[in-house]
Amino acid sequence: MASQRLLSGVAGQSRQGRGLMGAALLGVLTTWGLVVSCGQEEHPPPAARPGSDAGGDGDGGLRLDATADTAPPPPDAAGLCGNDILPLKLERPNLYFVLDRSGSMEARLTGSGYSKYVNARSAIGDVLATIGHRVAYGAAVFPRFASRDACDPGDEVFATRAGDSVTYAVAGTLGPTLQSFNELLAQYSPNQGMTPTSRTLSALLPKLKALSGKTSVVLATDGAPNCNPDAACDASLCEANVAGANWDKGICAGIVNCCDGLHPPYGPKYCIDSDATLAAVAALAEANIKTYVIGLPNDGDPRVFSRLLSSLATVGGTARASGTPYYSAKDSDSLSSALREIAAGVAISCTVALTKAPPDWSKVNVYFDNGVVLGEPKDGWAKVNANTLELRGKSCELLKSGDVFQVQVVAGCTTILK
């Protein structure tokens, strides 16, 4: 074991298609003497893994907990040094997806032969195949399914529940929970509905507040919210005018404001519903529920679209430090990267809490899968207190990248320092 080095053996667990940290991560892994193969990932619907009905390529996963039903293999079989695997404390956050299925989501996403909606549900499925075992997840779509009213608020299609065992991710297959999730989202497709974002988030609030544990919402939408019959706006914030739509006697342009109720078939419901949507996100924030915003390109005024989504991310407590405050997904790859970054941020912490203190911290080792993490404070791990350790530097980066299925803390052998 003394010959093992930081994260040795992890390279064998890496898979193609992991792009969260791109070239930066590749540089980190190269520094450690690891070789990782990276490639352009396709985005076929639905999300799939080897062994699933739909087929596809495996994609790896993240693991920072251990539970009774997914216990790590015996130390001898896994090649770990020590005979006392210390259980980790499990705090499973909730990841709740709110997915736009308005008519414009039927348009193809740049660089893909599939619609924005299909790309979104496929990318969500891919991300959950890698981190689903670390979270509980649920989903709603809007506008409401099986309704004649294009402005009906959305509704839940998958009740929040714990993800599948990590053993499915390790095997590169889909577990029953994720299979059910993918199948349900595939039943809904974009229609000629509008975008009742504020009404949907408000309707979901009681359900989200009732969930136990930390909850985060991921709102994926391609258009500015509307459908508020009580809204009022000038022509610059009227979607019919922004799009230059036709009304019964002309075009929504110039002095004509098609949202004033005098130019059928349009009216107040076509106003960009900024205030009510911001209020709905603020209500979630007041309930300690963060809202991550993913914006897909639309055919309207991108300035209006971007300004509002930026405000929603800011009010939702998830504004990004650089670039647009929200996640702008202009193609399949940026959509997948956005979802992966959000999910990893919600699901993974480099602070590892143990259910019991080890008898002797000088005889503790940390493993990423079968590779030992050196017990040094810069790029390995360090003790925080009697029941807690922290992964540092490059080790923390690797954990958050998705190249680690499982963290194991083992007592019994002298800590490997180099």
Side-chain angles (χ1 to χ4, degrees):
M1 296 293 293
S3 65
Q4 286 184 288
R5 292 296 179 263
L6 178 65
L7 306 180
S8 62
V10 176
Q13 299 289 342
S14 66
R15 302 175 184 228
Q16 291 186 343
R18 294 174 179 168
L20 176 62
M21 304 185 74
L25 175 60
L26 179 59
V28 170
L29 298 178
T30 302
T31 300
W32 292 336
L34 302 180
V35 179
V36 176
S37 174
C38 296
Q40 190 74 11
E41 184 178 20
E42 295 180 357
H43 303 272
R49 293 294 178 271
S52 71
D53 292 338
D57 291 328
D59 197 28
L62 312 176
R63 175 73 173 172
L64 192 55
D65 57 72
T67 58
D69 65 328
T70 58
D76 290 343
L80 310 185
C81 186
N83 56 12
D84 184 10
I85 296 179
L86 304 175
L88 313 187
K89 288 185 178 179
L90 173 62
E91 295 182 1
R92 191 188 300 272
N94 304 306
L95 198 56
Y96 198 90
F97 300 93
V98 181
L99 183 56
D100 183 354
R101 60 182 290 267
S102 60
S104 56
M105 286 289 285
E106 194 170 8
R108 290 184 179 183
L109 188 63
T110 301
S112 168
Y114 303 101
S115 71
K116 298 174 187 178
Y117 179 84
V118 167
N119 269 276
R121 66 170 176 79
S122 179
I124 291 170
D126 284 343
V127 167
L128 291 178
T130 67
I131 61 92
H133 54 278
R134 297 214 61 251
V135 299
Y137 51 86
V141 298
F142 68 100
R144 191 188 306 273
F145 45 91
S147 173
R148 294 184 178 181
D149 187 341
C151 279
D152 267 354
D155 202 357
E156 183 172 273
V157 296
F158 189 86
T160 304
R161 67 199 72 171
D164 296 299
S165 161
V166 68
T167 56
Y168 290 99
V170 172
T173 62
L174 296 186
T177 300
L178 185 52
Q179 287 189 41
S180 176
F181 179 88
N182 287 339
E183 290 168 1
L184 282 170
L185 281 188
Q187 292 179 18
Y188 306 101
S189 59
N191 59 20
Q192 296 307 309
M194 295 175 66
T195 314
T197 312
S198 67
R199 299 175 68 190
T200 298
L201 294 177
S202 296
L204 291 172
L205 179 59
K207 190 182 297 290
L208 295 171
K209 289 173 67 174
L211 296 175
S212 61
K214 178 183 176 182
T215 299
S216 297
V217 166
V218 179
L219 172 64
T221 180
D222 81 327
N226 49 36
C227 284
N228 184 351
D230 298 320
C233 61
D234 60 28
S236 68
L237 294 178
C238 177
E239 286 198 299
N241 283 72
V242 170
N246 293 320
W247 64 290
D248 288 355
K249 298 181 181 179
I251 298 176
C252 299
I255 63 172
V256 174
N257 176 6
C258 282
C259 286
D260 60 9
L262 303 176
H263 303 84
Y266 304 105
K269 290 194 297 184
Y270 284 81
C271 283
I272 295 177
D273 190 25
S274 302
D275 292 345
T277 306
L278 286 167
V281 171
L284 289 169
E286 290 173 4
N288 295 317
I289 300 171
K290 291 185 176 181
T291 300
Y292 293 86
V293 181
I294 298 178
L296 294 89
N298 72 341
D299 295 327
D301 185 344
R303 294 170 298 175
V304 173
F305 185 62
S306 183
R307 285 200 301 269
L308 177 55
L309 294 190
S310 294
S311 297
L312 292 176
T314 301
V315 171
T318 61
R320 303 167 69 204
S322 60
T324 57
Y326 68 98
Y327 290 83
S328 179
K330 297 181 179 180
D331 53 38
S332 296
D333 288 333
S334 58
L335 172 60
S336 295
S337 295
L339 282 164
R340 189 173 179 83
E341 182 176 330
I342 292 168
V346 169
I348 300 174
S349 172
C350 288
T351 299
V352 181
L354 308 173
T355 59
K356 65 175 182 179
D360 183 353
W361 273 95
S362 69
K363 294 185 177 181
V364 170
N365 282 291
V366 178
Y367 288 84
F368 283 1
D369 301 322
N370 293 343
V372 67
V373 181
L374 300 185
E376 59 90 15
K378 181 181 178 181
D379 289 314
W381 66 270
K383 173 186 174 182
V384 175
N385 56 46
N387 292 72
T388 309
L389 63 89
E390 183 179 65
L391 295 157
R392 303 276 180 86
K394 295 173 183 176
S395 296
C396 181
E397 291 176 18
L398 181 57
L399 178 63
K400 289 187 173 182
S401 76
D403 277 318
V404 178
F405 289 115
Q406 188 174 30
V407 172
Q408 297 180 87
V409 181
V410 187
C413 285
T414 301
T415 302
I416 298 171
L417 303 175
K418 63 180 179 178

